Amino acid sequence: MAEVMNLTKEDLERMKSVDIKTVDKDTLVDINSVKIDESLPREERVRDYIRQIGNPYCYLDHGVTVKISFSGKGSFEDTLMKYLSIGKMWIIYGISER
């Protein structure tokens, strides 16, 4: 999947290694500005998500810096899709409302 998105393993490692304590918040994207087009095929949704968010490991959520990691119990793509699905459920049920 990384090759499809023109990301190398080195790119993903660089994104993953961002230090949440020293990252410039101005370089991060707020996840609330990301729009998921559910009409796209799965691979395209992942590609579009990464295009919008920039760094899927470190981003903002309502101005708060968030860093996530994946346990390796599934592919990056599968884990990301599960994450996006859960996030959508939170929005549907109003859990993400602050």
Side-chain angles (χ1 to χ4, degrees):
M1 184 69 181
E3 294 79 18
V4 174
M5 293 182 290
N6 296 321
L7 292 174
T8 64
K9 287 184 180 183
E10 291 79 19
D11 291 333
L12 292 173
E13 284 300 318
R14 180 183 45 77
M15 291 178 189
K16 188 169 36 172
S17 69
V18 168
D19 185 343
I20 193 170
K21 296 176 189 166
T22 60
V23 68
D24 179 358
K25 287 175 78 170
D26 292 332
T27 65
L28 302 177
V29 174
D30 196 302
I31 197 164
N32 297 287
S33 69
V34 174
K35 305 296 181 220
I36 305 298
D37 183 350
E38 295 181 41
S39 69
L40 294 174
R42 179 179 177 173
E43 186 175 298
E44 289 296 319
R45 284 194 309 263
V46 172
R47 181 182 295 139
D48 189 51
Y49 172 78
I50 292 176
R51 180 189 60 75
Q52 291 180 65
I53 199 72
N55 184 343
Y57 295 100
C58 191
Y59 53 84
L60 299 174
D61 185 356
H62 291 87
V64 176
T65 306
V66 175
K67 178 147 185 194
I68 62 172
S69 61
F70 301 96
S71 66
K73 293 184 179 179
S75 72
F76 171 77
E77 176 186 15
D78 289 341
T79 305
L80 182 58
M81 290 309 295
K82 286 178 188 173
Y83 171 75
L84 293 176
S85 296
I86 291 169
K88 180 165 179 53
M89 286 176 53
W90 288 347
I91 292 167
I92 290 170
Y93 293 108
I95 297 170
S96 66
E97 297 295 319
R98 307 228 196 284

